Amino acid sequence: MWNYEQLFNRIEELVMHHSPSGVETEINDFLLKKFAEIGIEVWCDRADNIIAKIPGKNPDQKIAITAHKDEIGAIVKSIGKDGKVEVRKLGGTFPWVYGEGVVDLLGDHQTISGILSFGSRHISHESPQKVQQENTPVKWENAWIETKLTTAELEAAGVYPGTRMVVGKHRKRPIRLNNHIASYTLDNKASVAILLCLAETLKQPIPDVYLVASAKEEVGAIGALFFTNNQKLDALIALEICPLAQEYPIADGENPVLLIQDSYGIYDEYLNREIRQCAKQIDIELQLATLSGFGSDASIAMKFGHTARAACLSFPTQNTHGYEIAHLGAILNCIQVLKKYCEFRE
């Protein structure tokens, strides 16, 4: 089994591969290589999902465990002649979360680093930025990216309306806070790390197990909907972060969270019971939660009738959709619970 250091290193490796929704080639190539090195069947489907299959003792049963590989960011709206680039959100991003600093524009031919900018502070009420100091948060409409390149130079790099923006790679590298990992994009690179760990440890599951690194989840669970529309499943389990907030009775620490309900509806109670029983057998305590303003591959697929039984296993996370912090023990315990479910469920 993995220790905290090994898990931290695996998550760090994933975090350092850019994957904004719809432009996920960098993480795709990495995952195809990693699953192949483990020695299991892996492929990329037409919806850009990376799927690894572990044959089970009973191939008549099929389950899928998903972890979305895409990350939030922004998308280019327009390019000014002075090298200023305007962007709008892609997924649940806010410019004030990133702050002023380096961001990467993923051009077709070259990645261009620029500075997410909000304007100077030494100003009076004559400047439009003054209101951001006193009254309202910065919105994407008030921010821009300084590249100091010409329109022709940006065009040559393959930067145009629709180009994706993500936080600069040198700002992404995770840090350790005792038993915690802190980083951008733990949502959902830490869950993809769980898939890789399961690929290494699941040897003889009962059902056929599909490990799905799903595409474009942050913009509507597009990859998961395609997969579940084309693959009949007995159960679908999504791996996710769980927000730590005063409104939810969730504690930070080693105990994973099993969701009962989110914005898209209720999860399957009988599947949840099976997962809880498996956790109890290996002495892992699960926390239970109902969430607002949240959805997963599983709840969205269940809402649209693509699967009859869905669940979401998650790990408590601070600063969700920002510089996130999660306990490495909770992530490891998600691996243990899912391994037990796949190998010993009734």
Side-chain angles (χ1 to χ4, degrees):
M1 193 54 188
W2 301 267
N3 58 37
Y4 285 4
E5 190 66 27
Q6 291 169 326
L7 180 61
F8 178 92
N9 291 337
R10 170 155 288 177
I11 296 171
E12 179 180 42
E13 202 170 22
L14 289 161
V15 165
M16 296 306 292
H17 287 77
H18 285 326
S19 60
S21 300
V23 181
E24 303 167 33
T25 303
E26 191 174 328
I27 194 69
N28 287 356
D29 293 344
F30 177 79
L31 289 173
L32 287 168
K33 178 183 177 181
K34 281 295 182 183
F35 280 121
E37 287 175 352
I38 293 169
I40 60 177
E41 181 184 7
V42 62
W43 67 95
C44 182
D45 71 8
R46 288 176 294 161
D48 208 36
N49 298 306
I50 302 299
I51 304 164
K53 181 181 178 182
I54 303 176
K57 297 177 182 177
N58 182 0
D60 292 332
Q61 297 179 15
K62 302 180 187 301
I63 70 169
I65 302 170
T66 71
H68 70 83
K69 58 186 168 65
D70 63 318
E71 63 185 270
I72 58 174
I75 188 168
V76 173
K77 180 182 180 182
S78 63
I79 299 172
K81 62 181 180 180
D82 54 356
K84 288 184 178 181
V85 177
E86 288 196 22
V87 297
R88 297 295 182 265
K89 73 174 184 176
L90 186 70
T93 58
F94 300 91
W96 51 265
V97 170
Y98 294 144
E100 290 179 324
V102 180
V103 294
D104 289 342
L105 296 167
L106 305 186
D108 287 350
H109 313 301
Q110 182 182 355
T111 295
I112 299 296
S113 292
I115 305 301
L116 181 62
S117 301
F118 305 154
S120 295
R121 306 295 95 78
H122 296 86
I123 53 176
S124 71
H125 290 83
E126 296 179 32
S127 295
Q129 287 79 32
K130 188 65 177 179
V131 68
Q132 295 160 16
Q133 296 181 22
E134 298 180 348
N135 301 107
T136 62
V138 180
K139 299 179 181 179
W140 286 113
E141 293 85 348
N142 311 125
W144 64 92
I145 299 168
E146 290 280 0
T147 66
K148 301 303 181 184
L149 298 175
T150 65
T151 303
E153 288 171 326
L154 289 169
E155 183 179 343
V159 175
Y160 51 81
T163 293
R164 306 306 200 265
M165 182 218 86
V166 289
V167 66
K169 191 167 284 191
H170 85 280
R171 289 208 285 163
K172 273 186 165 183
R173 192 170 297 280
I175 65 167
R176 280 285 297 272
L177 298 176
N178 196 5
N179 293 327
H180 290 70
I181 182 171
S183 173
Y184 288 112
T185 74
L186 293 184
D187 178 14
N188 206 22
K189 298 296 175 59
S191 294
V192 176
I194 294 173
L195 293 186
L196 287 171
C197 292
L198 285 170
E200 291 177 350
T201 191
L202 270 178
K203 302 304 180 184
Q204 289 187 311
I206 303 299
D208 283 351
V209 177
Y210 294 89
L211 303 174
V212 183
S214 59
K216 298 183 282 289
E217 188 272 349
E218 294 287 4
V219 291
I222 294 169
L225 288 174
F226 178 86
F227 175 78
T228 54
N229 190 49
N230 288 276
Q231 177 64 61
K232 182 179 178 181
L233 298 171
D234 295 289
L236 171 65
I237 303 172
L239 283 162
E240 270 290 357
I241 53 95
C242 182
L244 281 166
Q246 287 186 347
E247 63 182 283
Y248 305 129
I250 301 301
D252 188 17
E254 298 181 355
N255 296 332
V257 182
L258 187 64
L259 299 191
I260 307 301
Q261 182 185 40
D262 66 24
S263 299
Y264 287 86
I266 57 173
Y267 289 91
D268 185 77
E269 183 62 25
Y270 299 100
L271 177 56
N272 273 355
R273 288 180 185 176
E274 291 174 7
I275 295 171
R276 290 164 66 183
Q277 289 170 359
C278 288
K280 186 176 182 180
Q281 290 173 18
I282 54 177
D283 296 320
I284 293 176
E285 183 179 348
L286 298 181
Q287 305 182 77
L288 306 178
T290 65
L291 301 181
S292 304
F294 186 94
S296 73
D297 280 342
S299 61
I300 296 172
M302 191 172 176
K303 178 181 177 66
F304 288 101
H306 288 205
T307 185
R309 304 204 315 151
C312 183
L313 185 64
S314 60
F315 45 91
T317 305
Q318 295 172 252
N319 305 334
T320 57
H321 277 192
Y323 202 92
E324 296 162 328
I325 308 170
H327 197 293
L328 290 161
I331 300 170
L332 285 175
N333 281 336
C334 285
I335 302 170
Q336 296 278 59
V337 171
L338 290 172
K339 182 176 184 295
K340 180 69 174 178
Y341 177 80
C342 292
E343 293 183 343
F344 299 102
R345 68 193 185 98
E346 298 177 354

